[in-house]
Coordinates of all heavy atoms in Angstrom, one line a residue:
M1 N 39.4 -35.8 -60.1 CA 38.3 -35.8 -61.0 C 37.2 -35.0 -60.5 O 36.4 -34.4 -61.2 CB 37.8 -37.2 -61.3 CG 38.6 -37.9 -62.4 SD 38.7 -36.8 -63.8 CE 38.8 -38.0 -65.1
V2 N 37.1 -34.9 -59.1 CA 36.0 -34.1 -58.5 C 36.1 -32.7 -58.9 O 35.2 -32.0 -59.2 CB 36.0 -34.3 -57.0 CG1 35.0 -33.4 -56.3 CG2 35.7 -35.8 -56.6
H3 N 37.4 -32.2 -58.8 CA 37.6 -30.8 -59.2 C 37.2 -30.4 -60.6 O 36.7 -29.4 -60.9 CB 39.1 -30.4 -58.9 CG 39.5 -30.5 -57.5 ND1 39.0 -29.7 -56.5 CD2 40.4 -31.4 -56.9 CE1 39.6 -30.1 -55.4 NE2 40.4 -31.1 -55.6
L4 N 37.5 -31.3 -61.5 CA 37.1 -31.1 -62.9 C 35.6 -31.1 -63.0 O 35.1 -30.3 -63.8 CB 37.7 -32.3 -63.8 CG 37.5 -32.1 -65.3 CD1 38.2 -30.8 -65.7 CD2 38.2 -33.3 -66.0
A5 N 34.9 -31.9 -62.3 CA 33.4 -31.9 -62.4 C 32.9 -30.6 -61.8 O 31.9 -30.1 -62.4 CB 32.9 -33.1 -61.6
V6 N 33.4 -30.2 -60.7 CA 33.0 -28.9 -60.2 C 33.3 -27.7 -61.1 O 32.4 -26.9 -61.3 CB 33.6 -28.7 -58.8 CG1 33.4 -27.3 -58.3 CG2 33.2 -29.7 -57.8
A7 N 34.5 -27.7 -61.7 CA 34.9 -26.7 -62.6 C 33.9 -26.7 -63.8 O 33.5 -25.6 -64.3 CB 36.3 -26.8 -63.1
R8 N 33.6 -27.9 -64.3 CA 32.7 -28.0 -65.4 C 31.3 -27.5 -65.1 O 30.7 -26.7 -65.8 CB 32.6 -29.4 -65.9 CG 31.7 -29.6 -67.1 CD 31.8 -31.1 -67.6 NE 31.0 -31.3 -68.8 CZ 29.7 -31.6 -68.8 NH1 29.0 -31.8 -67.7 NH2 29.1 -31.7 -70.0
Q9 N 30.8 -27.8 -63.9 CA 29.5 -27.4 -63.4 C 29.4 -25.8 -63.3 O 28.5 -25.2 -63.8 CB 29.1 -28.0 -62.1 CG 27.7 -27.6 -61.6 CD 27.4 -28.3 -60.3 OE1 28.2 -29.0 -59.7 NE2 26.2 -28.1 -59.8
Y10 N 30.5 -25.3 -62.7 CA 30.5 -23.8 -62.6 C 30.7 -23.1 -63.9 O 30.1 -22.0 -64.1 CB 31.7 -23.4 -61.6 CG 31.3 -23.4 -60.2 CD1 31.7 -24.5 -59.3 CD2 30.4 -22.5 -59.6 CE1 31.3 -24.5 -58.0 CE2 30.0 -22.5 -58.3 CZ 30.5 -23.5 -57.5 OH 30.1 -23.6 -56.2
S11 N 31.4 -23.7 -64.8 CA 31.5 -23.1 -66.2 C 30.2 -23.1 -66.9 O 29.8 -22.1 -67.5 CB 32.5 -23.9 -67.0 OG 33.8 -23.8 -66.4
I12 N 29.4 -24.2 -66.8 CA 28.1 -24.2 -67.4 C 27.2 -23.2 -66.7 O 26.5 -22.5 -67.4 CB 27.5 -25.7 -67.2 CG1 28.3 -26.6 -68.1 CG2 26.0 -25.7 -67.6 CD1 28.0 -28.1 -67.9
L13 N 27.2 -23.1 -65.4 CA 26.4 -22.1 -64.7 C 26.8 -20.7 -65.1 O 25.9 -19.8 -65.3 CB 26.5 -22.3 -63.2 CG 25.8 -23.5 -62.6 CD1 26.2 -23.6 -61.1 CD2 24.3 -23.4 -62.8
G14 N 28.1 -20.4 -65.3 CA 28.6 -19.1 -65.7 C 28.1 -18.8 -67.1 O 27.7 -17.6 -67.3
I15 N 28.2 -19.7 -68.0 CA 27.8 -19.5 -69.4 C 26.3 -19.2 -69.4 O 25.8 -18.3 -70.1 CB 28.2 -20.6 -70.3 CG1 29.7 -20.7 -70.4 CG2 27.5 -20.6 -71.6 CD1 30.2 -21.9 -71.1
K16 N 25.5 -20.0 -68.6 CA 24.1 -19.8 -68.6 C 23.7 -18.4 -68.0 O 22.9 -17.7 -68.5 CB 23.5 -20.9 -67.7 CG 22.0 -20.9 -67.7 CD 21.4 -22.1 -66.8 CE 19.9 -22.0 -66.7 NZ 19.4 -23.0 -65.9
H17 N 24.5 -18.0 -67.0 CA 24.3 -16.7 -66.3 C 24.5 -15.6 -67.3 O 23.7 -14.7 -67.4 CB 25.2 -16.6 -65.2 CG 25.2 -15.2 -64.5 ND1 24.2 -14.8 -63.7 CD2 26.1 -14.2 -64.5 CE1 24.4 -13.6 -63.3 NE2 25.6 -13.2 -63.7
I18 N 25.5 -15.7 -68.1 CA 25.8 -14.7 -69.1 C 24.8 -14.7 -70.2 O 24.3 -13.6 -70.6 CB 27.2 -14.9 -69.7 CG1 28.3 -14.6 -68.7 CG2 27.4 -14.0 -71.0 CD1 29.7 -15.0 -69.1
L19 N 24.4 -15.8 -70.7 CA 23.4 -15.9 -71.8 C 22.0 -15.5 -71.4 O 21.3 -15.0 -72.3 CB 23.5 -17.3 -72.4 CG 24.7 -17.7 -73.1 CD1 24.7 -19.1 -73.6 CD2 25.1 -16.7 -74.2
E20 N 21.7 -15.7 -70.2 CA 20.3 -15.3 -69.7 C 20.2 -13.8 -69.3 O 19.1 -13.3 -69.2 CB 19.9 -16.2 -68.5 CG 19.6 -17.6 -68.9 CD 19.2 -18.5 -67.8 OE1 19.3 -18.0 -66.6 OE2 18.8 -19.6 -68.0
G21 N 21.4 -13.2 -69.1 CA 21.3 -11.8 -68.7 C 21.6 -10.9 -69.9 O 22.8 -10.8 -70.3
L22 N 20.6 -10.2 -70.4 CA 20.8 -9.3 -71.5 C 21.8 -8.2 -71.2 O 22.6 -7.9 -72.1 CB 19.4 -8.7 -71.9 CG 19.4 -7.8 -73.1 CD1 19.9 -8.6 -74.3 CD2 18.0 -7.2 -73.3
D23 N 21.8 -7.8 -70.0 CA 22.8 -6.7 -69.6 C 24.2 -7.2 -69.7 O 25.1 -6.5 -70.2 CB 22.5 -6.2 -68.2 CG 22.5 -7.3 -67.1 OD1 22.3 -8.5 -67.4 OD2 22.8 -6.9 -65.9
H24 N 24.4 -8.5 -69.4 CA 25.8 -9.1 -69.5 C 26.2 -9.2 -71.0 O 27.3 -8.8 -71.4 CB 25.8 -10.5 -68.9 CG 25.8 -10.5 -67.4 ND1 24.7 -10.2 -66.6 CD2 26.8 -10.7 -66.5 CE1 25.1 -10.3 -65.4 NE2 26.3 -10.6 -65.3
L25 N 25.2 -9.6 -71.8 CA 25.5 -9.8 -73.2 C 25.8 -8.4 -73.9 O 26.8 -8.3 -74.6 CB 24.4 -10.4 -73.9 CG 24.2 -11.9 -73.7 CD1 22.9 -12.4 -74.4 CD2 25.4 -12.7 -74.2
L26 N 25.0 -7.4 -73.5 CA 25.2 -6.1 -74.1 C 26.5 -5.5 -73.6 O 27.3 -4.9 -74.4 CB 24.0 -5.2 -73.7 CG 22.7 -5.5 -74.4 CD1 21.6 -4.6 -73.9 CD2 22.8 -5.3 -75.9
F27 N 26.9 -5.7 -72.4 CA 28.1 -5.2 -71.8 C 29.3 -5.8 -72.5 O 30.2 -5.1 -73.0 CB 28.2 -5.4 -70.3 CG 29.3 -4.7 -69.7 CD1 29.3 -3.3 -69.4 CD2 30.5 -5.4 -69.3 CE1 30.3 -2.7 -68.8 CE2 31.5 -4.7 -68.6 CZ 31.5 -3.4 -68.4
L28 N 29.2 -7.1 -72.7 CA 30.3 -7.8 -73.4 C 30.4 -7.4 -74.9 O 31.5 -7.3 -75.4 CB 30.2 -9.4 -73.2 CG 30.4 -9.9 -71.8 CD1 30.1 -11.4 -71.7 CD2 31.8 -9.6 -71.3
I29 N 29.3 -7.2 -75.5 CA 29.3 -6.8 -76.9 C 30.0 -5.4 -77.0 O 30.8 -5.1 -77.9 CB 27.9 -6.8 -77.5 CG1 27.4 -8.2 -77.7 CG2 27.8 -6.0 -78.8 CD1 26.0 -8.3 -78.0
C30 N 29.6 -4.5 -76.0 CA 30.2 -3.2 -76.0 C 31.7 -3.3 -75.8 O 32.5 -2.5 -76.4 CB 29.6 -2.3 -74.9 SG 27.9 -1.8 -75.4
L31 N 32.1 -4.2 -74.9 CA 33.6 -4.3 -74.6 C 34.3 -4.8 -75.9 O 35.4 -4.3 -76.2 CB 33.8 -5.4 -73.5 CG 33.5 -4.9 -72.1 CD1 33.8 -6.1 -71.2 CD2 34.4 -3.7 -71.7
M32 N 33.6 -5.7 -76.7 CA 34.2 -6.1 -77.9 C 34.3 -5.0 -78.9 O 35.3 -4.9 -79.7 CB 33.3 -7.3 -78.5 CG 33.5 -8.6 -77.7 SD 32.3 -9.9 -78.1 CE 32.4 -9.9 -79.9
L33 N 33.3 -4.1 -79.0 CA 33.3 -3.0 -79.9 C 34.5 -2.1 -79.6 O 35.1 -1.5 -80.5 CB 32.0 -2.2 -79.8 CG 30.8 -2.9 -80.5 CD1 29.5 -2.1 -80.1 CD2 31.0 -3.0 -82.0
V34 N 34.8 -1.9 -78.3 CA 35.9 -1.0 -77.9 C 37.2 -1.7 -78.0 O 38.2 -1.1 -78.5 CB 35.6 -0.4 -76.5 CG1 36.8 0.4 -76.1 CG2 34.4 0.4 -76.5
A35 N 37.3 -2.9 -77.5 CA 38.6 -3.6 -77.4 C 39.0 -4.2 -78.8 O 40.2 -4.4 -79.0 CB 38.5 -4.7 -76.4
G36 N 38.1 -4.5 -79.6 CA 38.4 -5.1 -80.9 C 38.6 -6.6 -80.7 O 38.3 -7.2 -79.7
I37 N 39.2 -7.2 -81.7 CA 39.5 -8.6 -81.7 C 41.0 -8.8 -81.4 O 41.8 -8.1 -81.8 CB 39.2 -9.2 -83.1 CG1 37.7 -9.0 -83.5 CG2 39.5 -10.7 -83.1 CD1 36.7 -9.5 -82.5
G38 N 41.2 -9.8 -80.6 CA 42.6 -10.2 -80.3 C 43.0 -10.1 -78.8 O 42.1 -10.3 -77.9
K39 N 44.2 -9.9 -78.5 CA 44.7 -10.0 -77.2 C 44.1 -9.0 -76.2 O 43.7 -9.4 -75.1 CB 46.3 -9.7 -77.2 CG 46.9 -9.9 -75.8 CD 48.4 -9.8 -76.0 CE 49.1 -9.9 -74.6 NZ 50.5 -9.8 -74.7
K40 N 43.8 -7.8 -76.7 CA 43.2 -6.8 -75.8 C 41.8 -7.2 -75.4 O 41.4 -7.0 -74.3 CB 43.2 -5.4 -76.5 CG 42.7 -4.3 -75.6 CD 42.8 -3.0 -76.3 CE 42.2 -1.9 -75.4 NZ 42.2 -0.6 -76.1
L41 N 41.1 -7.8 -76.3 CA 39.7 -8.3 -76.0 C 39.8 -9.4 -74.9 O 39.0 -9.4 -73.9 CB 39.0 -8.9 -77.2 CG 37.7 -9.5 -77.0 CD1 36.7 -8.5 -76.5 CD2 37.2 -10.2 -78.3
W42 N 40.7 -10.4 -75.1 CA 40.8 -11.4 -74.1 C 41.3 -10.9 -72.7 O 40.8 -11.4 -71.7 CB 41.8 -12.5 -74.6 CG 41.2 -13.3 -75.7 CD1 41.5 -13.4 -77.0 CD2 40.1 -14.2 -75.5 NE1 40.7 -14.2 -77.7 CE2 39.8 -14.8 -76.8 CE3 39.3 -14.7 -74.4 CZ2 38.8 -15.7 -77.0 CZ3 38.3 -15.6 -74.7 CH2 38.0 -16.1 -75.9
I43 N 42.1 -9.9 -72.7 CA 42.6 -9.3 -71.4 C 41.4 -8.6 -70.8 O 41.2 -8.8 -69.6 CB 43.7 -8.4 -71.7 CG1 45.0 -9.1 -72.0 CG2 44.0 -7.5 -70.4 CD1 46.1 -8.3 -72.5
T44 N 40.6 -7.9 -71.6 CA 39.5 -7.2 -71.0 C 38.4 -8.1 -70.5 O 37.9 -7.9 -69.3 CB 38.9 -6.3 -72.1 OG1 39.9 -5.4 -72.6 CG2 37.7 -5.5 -71.6
I45 N 38.0 -9.1 -71.2 CA 37.0 -10.1 -70.8 C 37.5 -10.9 -69.6 O 36.7 -11.2 -68.7 CB 36.5 -11.0 -72.0 CG1 35.8 -10.1 -73.0 CG2 35.7 -12.1 -71.5 CD1 35.3 -10.8 -74.2
T46 N 38.8 -11.2 -69.6 CA 39.3 -12.0 -68.5 C 39.3 -11.1 -67.2 O 38.9 -11.6 -66.1 CB 40.8 -12.5 -68.8 OG1 40.7 -13.3 -70.0 CG2 41.4 -13.2 -67.6
G47 N 39.7 -9.9 -67.3 CA 39.6 -9.0 -66.2 C 38.2 -8.8 -65.6 O 38.0 -8.9 -64.4
F48 N 37.2 -8.7 -66.5 CA 35.8 -8.6 -66.2 C 35.4 -9.9 -65.4 O 34.8 -9.8 -64.4 CB 35.0 -8.4 -67.4 CG 33.5 -8.5 -67.2 CD1 32.8 -7.4 -66.6 CD2 32.8 -9.6 -67.5 CE1 31.4 -7.5 -66.4 CE2 31.4 -9.7 -67.3 CZ 30.7 -8.6 -66.7
T49 N 35.8 -11.0 -66.0 CA 35.4 -12.3 -65.4 C 36.0 -12.5 -64.0 O 35.3 -13.0 -63.1 CB 35.8 -13.5 -66.4 OG1 35.1 -13.2 -67.6 CG2 35.3 -14.8 -65.8
I50 N 37.3 -12.2 -63.9 CA 38.0 -12.4 -62.6 C 37.3 -11.5 -61.6 O 37.1 -11.9 -60.4 CB 39.5 -12.1 -62.8 CG1 40.1 -13.3 -63.6 CG2 40.1 -12.0 -61.4 CD1 41.6 -13.0 -64.0
A51 N 37.1 -10.2 -61.9 CA 36.5 -9.3 -60.9 C 35.1 -9.7 -60.6 O 34.8 -9.7 -59.4 CB 36.5 -7.9 -61.5
H52 N 34.4 -10.2 -61.5 CA 33.0 -10.7 -61.3 C 33.0 -11.9 -60.3 O 32.2 -12.0 -59.4 CB 32.3 -11.0 -62.6 CG 30.9 -11.0 -62.6 ND1 30.1 -9.9 -62.3 CD2 30.0 -12.0 -62.9 CE1 28.8 -10.2 -62.4 NE2 28.7 -11.5 -62.7
S53 N 34.0 -12.8 -60.6 CA 34.1 -14.0 -59.8 C 34.5 -13.7 -58.3 O 34.0 -14.3 -57.4 CB 35.1 -14.9 -60.4 OG 34.7 -15.3 -61.7
I54 N 35.4 -12.7 -58.2 CA 35.9 -12.3 -56.8 C 34.7 -11.7 -56.0 O 34.5 -12.1 -54.9 CB 37.1 -11.3 -56.9 CG1 38.3 -12.1 -57.4 CG2 37.3 -10.7 -55.6 CD1 39.5 -11.1 -57.8
T55 N 34.0 -10.8 -56.7 CA 32.9 -10.2 -55.9 C 31.8 -11.2 -55.6 O 31.2 -11.2 -54.5 CB 32.3 -9.0 -56.7 OG1 31.9 -9.4 -58.0 CG2 33.3 -7.9 -56.8
L56 N 31.5 -12.1 -56.5 CA 30.6 -13.2 -56.3 C 31.0 -14.1 -55.1 O 30.2 -14.4 -54.2 CB 30.3 -14.0 -57.5 CG 29.3 -15.1 -57.4 CD1 27.9 -14.6 -57.1 CD2 29.2 -15.9 -58.7
A57 N 32.3 -14.5 -55.1 CA 32.8 -15.3 -54.0 C 32.8 -14.6 -52.7 O 32.4 -15.2 -51.7 CB 34.3 -15.7 -54.4
L58 N 33.1 -13.3 -52.7 CA 33.1 -12.6 -51.4 C 31.7 -12.5 -50.9 O 31.5 -12.6 -49.6 CB 33.7 -11.2 -51.6 CG 35.2 -11.1 -51.8 CD1 35.6 -9.6 -52.2 CD2 35.9 -11.6 -50.6
S59 N 30.7 -12.3 -51.7 CA 29.3 -12.3 -51.3 C 28.8 -13.6 -50.9 O 28.2 -13.8 -49.8 CB 28.5 -11.7 -52.5 OG 27.1 -11.7 -52.1
A60 N 29.2 -14.7 -51.6 CA 28.7 -16.0 -51.3 C 29.3 -16.5 -50.0 O 28.6 -17.3 -49.3 CB 29.0 -17.0 -52.4
L61 N 30.5 -16.1 -49.7 CA 31.2 -16.5 -48.5 C 30.9 -15.6 -47.3 O 31.4 -15.8 -46.2 CB 32.7 -16.6 -48.7 CG 33.2 -17.7 -49.7 CD1 34.6 -17.5 -50.0 CD2 32.8 -19.1 -49.2
D62 N 30.0 -14.6 -47.6 CA 29.5 -13.7 -46.5 C 30.7 -12.9 -46.0 O 30.7 -12.4 -44.8 CB 28.8 -14.4 -45.4 CG 27.8 -13.5 -44.7 OD1 27.4 -12.4 -45.3 OD2 27.4 -13.8 -43.6
V63 N 31.7 -12.6 -46.8 CA 32.9 -11.8 -46.4 C 32.5 -10.3 -46.6 O 32.9 -9.5 -45.8 CB 34.1 -12.1 -47.3 CG1 35.2 -11.1 -47.0 CG2 34.5 -13.5 -47.0
M64 N 31.6 -10.1 -47.5 CA 31.2 -8.7 -47.8 C 29.7 -8.7 -48.2 O 29.3 -9.5 -48.9 CB 32.1 -8.2 -49.0 CG 31.8 -6.8 -49.5 SD 32.9 -6.3 -50.8 CE 32.3 -7.3 -52.1
R65 N 29.0 -7.7 -47.6 CA 27.6 -7.5 -47.9 C 27.4 -6.1 -48.3 O 27.8 -5.1 -47.6 CB 26.8 -7.8 -46.7 CG 26.7 -9.2 -46.3 CD 25.5 -9.8 -47.0 NE 25.4 -11.2 -46.7 CZ 25.0 -12.1 -47.6 NH1 24.5 -11.7 -48.7 NH2 25.0 -13.4 -47.3
L66 N 26.8 -5.9 -49.5 CA 26.5 -4.6 -50.0 C 25.0 -4.5 -50.3 O 24.4 -5.5 -50.8 CB 27.3 -4.2 -51.2 CG 28.8 -4.1 -51.1 CD1 29.5 -4.0 -52.4 CD2 29.2 -3.0 -50.2
P67 N 24.4 -3.4 -50.1 CA 23.0 -3.3 -50.4 C 22.8 -3.3 -51.9 O 23.6 -2.8 -52.7 CB 22.5 -1.9 -49.9 CG 23.8 -1.2 -49.5 CD 24.9 -2.2 -49.4
I68 N 21.8 -4.0 -52.4 CA 21.6 -4.3 -53.8 C 21.4 -3.0 -54.6 O 22.0 -2.8 -55.7 CB 20.5 -5.3 -54.1 CG1 20.9 -6.6 -53.5 CG2 20.1 -5.4 -55.5 CD1 19.8 -7.7 -53.5
P69 N 20.5 -2.0 -54.2 CA 20.3 -0.9 -55.1 C 21.5 -0.1 -55.5 O 21.7 0.2 -56.7 CB 19.3 0.0 -54.2 CG 18.6 -1.0 -53.4 CD 19.6 -2.0 -53.0
P70 N 22.5 0.2 -54.5 CA 23.7 0.9 -55.0 C 24.5 0.1 -56.0 O 25.1 0.6 -56.9 CB 24.5 1.2 -53.7 CG 23.5 1.1 -52.6 CD 22.4 0.1 -53.1
V71 N 24.6 -1.2 -55.7 CA 25.4 -2.1 -56.6 C 24.8 -2.0 -58.0 O 25.5 -1.9 -59.0 CB 25.4 -3.5 -56.1 CG1 26.0 -4.5 -57.1 CG2 26.2 -3.5 -54.8
E72 N 23.5 -2.2 -58.1 CA 22.8 -2.1 -59.4 C 23.0 -0.8 -60.1 O 23.2 -0.7 -61.3 CB 21.3 -2.4 -59.3 CG 21.0 -3.8 -58.8 CD 21.3 -4.9 -59.9 OE1 21.3 -4.6 -61.1 OE2 21.6 -6.0 -59.5
A73 N 23.0 0.3 -59.3 CA 23.2 1.6 -59.9 C 24.6 1.8 -60.4 O 24.8 2.3 -61.5 CB 23.0 2.7 -58.8
V74 N 25.6 1.3 -59.7 CA 27.0 1.3 -60.2 C 27.1 0.5 -61.5 O 27.8 0.9 -62.5 CB 28.0 0.8 -59.2 CG1 29.4 0.7 -59.7 CG2 28.0 1.8 -58.0
I75 N 26.5 -0.7 -61.6 CA 26.5 -1.5 -62.8 C 25.9 -0.7 -63.9 O 26.5 -0.7 -65.0 CB 25.8 -2.8 -62.6 CG1 26.6 -3.7 -61.6 CG2 25.6 -3.6 -63.9 CD1 25.8 -4.9 -61.1
A76 N 24.7 -0.1 -63.7 CA 24.1 0.7 -64.7 C 25.0 1.8 -65.2 O 25.1 2.1 -66.4 CB 22.7 1.2 -64.2
L77 N 25.6 2.5 -64.3 CA 26.5 3.6 -64.6 C 27.7 3.2 -65.4 O 28.1 3.8 -66.4 CB 27.0 4.3 -63.4 CG 26.0 5.2 -62.7 CD1 26.6 5.8 -61.3 CD2 25.6 6.4 -63.6
S78 N 28.2 2.0 -65.2 CA 29.3 1.5 -65.9 C 28.9 1.1 -67.4 O 29.7 1.4 -68.3 CB 29.9 0.2 -65.3 OG 29.1 -0.9 -65.3
V79 N 27.7 0.7 -67.5 CA 27.1 0.4 -68.9 C 26.9 1.7 -69.6 O 27.3 1.8 -70.8 CB 25.8 -0.4 -68.8 CG1 25.2 -0.5 -70.2 CG2 26.1 -1.8 -68.2
V80 N 26.4 2.7 -69.0 CA 26.2 4.0 -69.6 C 27.6 4.6 -70.0 O 27.7 5.2 -71.1 CB 25.4 5.0 -68.6 CG1 25.5 6.4 -69.1 CG2 24.0 4.5 -68.5
D81 N 28.5 4.5 -69.1 CA 29.9 5.1 -69.3 C 30.5 4.4 -70.6 O 31.1 5.0 -71.4 CB 30.8 4.9 -68.1 CG 32.2 5.4 -68.3 OD1 32.3 6.7 -68.6 OD2 33.1 4.7 -68.3
L82 N 30.3 3.1 -70.6 CA 30.9 2.3 -71.8 C 30.2 2.7 -73.0 O 30.8 2.9 -74.1 CB 30.7 0.8 -71.5 CG 31.3 -0.1 -72.6 CD1 32.7 0.1 -72.8 CD2 31.0 -1.6 -72.2
A83 N 28.9 2.9 -73.0 CA 28.1 3.3 -74.2 C 28.6 4.7 -74.6 O 28.7 5.0 -75.8 CB 26.6 3.3 -73.9
M84 N 28.8 5.6 -73.7 CA 29.3 7.0 -74.0 C 30.7 6.9 -74.6 O 30.9 7.6 -75.6 CB 29.3 7.8 -72.8 CG 27.9 8.3 -72.3 SD 27.9 9.2 -70.8 CE 28.9 10.6 -71.3
E85 N 31.5 6.1 -74.1 CA 32.9 5.9 -74.7 C 32.8 5.4 -76.1 O 33.6 5.9 -77.0 CB 33.7 5.0 -73.8 CG 34.1 5.6 -72.5 CD 35.1 4.9 -71.8 OE1 36.0 4.3 -72.4 OE2 35.1 4.9 -70.5
I86 N 31.9 4.5 -76.4 CA 31.7 4.0 -77.8 C 31.2 5.1 -78.7 O 31.7 5.4 -79.8 CB 30.7 2.8 -77.8 CG1 31.4 1.6 -77.2 CG2 30.3 2.5 -79.2 CD1 30.5 0.4 -76.9
A87 N 30.2 5.9 -78.2 CA 29.6 6.9 -79.0 C 30.6 8.0 -79.2 O 30.5 8.6 -80.3 CB 28.3 7.5 -78.2
L88 N 31.5 8.3 -78.3 CA 32.5 9.4 -78.5 C 33.8 8.9 -79.1 O 34.7 9.6 -79.2 CB 32.7 10.0 -77.1 CG 31.5 10.7 -76.5 CD1 31.9 11.2 -75.1 CD2 31.0 11.9 -77.3
Q89 N 33.8 7.6 -79.4 CA 35.0 6.9 -80.0 C 36.2 7.0 -79.2 O 37.3 7.2 -79.6 CB 35.3 7.6 -81.4 CG 34.1 7.4 -82.4 CD 33.9 6.0 -82.8 OE1 34.9 5.3 -83.1 NE2 32.7 5.5 -82.8
K90 N 36.1 6.9 -77.9 CA 37.2 6.9 -77.0 C 37.6 5.5 -76.7 O 36.9 4.5 -76.8 CB 36.8 7.6 -75.6 CG 36.6 9.1 -75.8 CD 36.4 9.7 -74.4 CE 36.2 11.2 -74.5 NZ 35.9 11.7 -73.2
K91 N 38.8 5.3 -76.2 CA 39.3 4.0 -75.8 C 39.0 3.7 -74.4 O 39.0 4.6 -73.6 CB 40.9 3.9 -76.0 CG 41.3 4.1 -77.4 CD 40.8 2.9 -78.3 CE 41.2 3.1 -79.7 NZ 40.6 2.1 -80.6
I92 N 38.6 2.5 -74.1 CA 38.2 2.1 -72.8 C 39.3 1.8 -71.9 O 40.3 1.1 -72.2 CB 37.3 0.8 -72.9 CG1 36.8 0.4 -71.5 CG2 38.0 -0.3 -73.5 CD1 35.7 -0.7 -71.6
P93 N 39.3 2.4 -70.7 CA 40.3 2.0 -69.7 C 39.9 0.6 -69.1 O 38.7 0.3 -69.0 CB 40.2 3.1 -68.6 CG 38.8 3.7 -68.8 CD 38.5 3.5 -70.2
L94 N 40.9 -0.2 -68.8 CA 40.6 -1.6 -68.3 C 39.8 -1.5 -67.0 O 39.0 -2.4 -66.7 CB 41.8 -2.4 -68.1 CG 42.4 -3.0 -69.4 CD1 43.7 -3.8 -69.0 CD2 41.4 -4.0 -70.0
L95 N 39.9 -0.5 -66.3 CA 39.2 -0.3 -65.0 C 37.7 -0.5 -65.1 O 37.0 -1.1 -64.3 CB 39.6 1.0 -64.3 CG 38.9 1.2 -62.9 CD1 39.4 0.1 -62.0 CD2 39.3 2.5 -62.3
I96 N 37.1 0.1 -66.2 CA 35.7 0.0 -66.4 C 35.2 -1.4 -66.6 O 34.1 -1.8 -66.2 CB 35.2 0.9 -67.5 CG1 33.7 1.1 -67.5 CG2 35.5 0.4 -68.9 CD1 33.2 2.0 -66.3
A97 N 36.0 -2.2 -67.2 CA 35.7 -3.7 -67.3 C 35.6 -4.4 -66.0 O 34.9 -5.3 -65.8 CB 36.7 -4.3 -68.3
I98 N 36.4 -3.9 -65.1 CA 36.5 -4.6 -63.7 C 35.3 -4.2 -62.9 O 34.8 -5.0 -62.1 CB 37.8 -4.2 -63.0 CG1 38.9 -4.8 -63.8 CG2 37.8 -4.7 -61.6 CD1 40.3 -4.4 -63.3
L99 N 34.7 -3.0 -63.1 CA 33.5 -2.6 -62.4 C 32.4 -3.5 -62.8 O 31.5 -3.8 -62.1 CB 33.2 -1.1 -62.7 CG 34.2 -0.1 -62.1 CD1 33.8 1.3 -62.6 CD2 34.2 -0.2 -60.6

């Protein structure tokens, strides 16, 4: 039961994190615009969530340390790239969702 309580707490924190971050919401909306509805959308969002969780865990466990400015720049570039793909009507590679 302890594991279920921890999973519930982390799920609530994760949802709060997404809802409070406008950049997260816009990125997920853009992913939805490109991936559409259905299996591809779930695969894309799941890939994004898993990659986000791994990088968060590596940072929290002090396995990996990266300076914040370059990380923020890469995040911004991924959002710009996604917006350009939407504007140019291209299909999104799953790799961009992992970034």
Side-chain angles (χ1 to χ4, degrees):
M1 274 311 206
V2 174
H3 297 294
L4 186 59
V6 171
R8 183 175 185 271
Q9 182 180 6
Y10 275 105
S11 296
I12 291 169
L13 287 172
I15 291 167
K16 185 178 177 184
H17 174 74
I18 290 170
L19 294 177
E20 288 179 350
L22 183 59
D23 58 335
H24 285 74
L25 288 175
L26 290 174
F27 190 76
L28 291 175
I29 289 168
C30 288
L31 286 177
M32 289 170 48
L33 288 172
V34 175
I37 303 298
K39 186 176 179 180
K40 186 175 178 184
L41 174 64
W42 286 110
I43 290 170
T44 302
I45 291 176
T46 301
F48 172 78
T49 303
I50 290 170
H52 202 61
S53 299
I54 290 170
T55 56
L56 181 61
L58 290 173
S59 178
L61 296 172
D62 205 21
V63 172
M64 180 175 69
R65 288 270 176 212
L66 295 173
I68 294 172
V71 171
E72 294 292 331
V74 170
I75 292 168
L77 285 173
S78 69
V79 173
V80 169
D81 181 61
L82 182 56
M84 287 177 58
E85 290 191 32
I86 290 170
L88 299 173
Q89 299 293 314
K90 293 184 178 179
K91 296 296 178 191
I92 181 173
L94 277 180
L95 182 60
I96 195 71
I98 295 171
L99 292 175

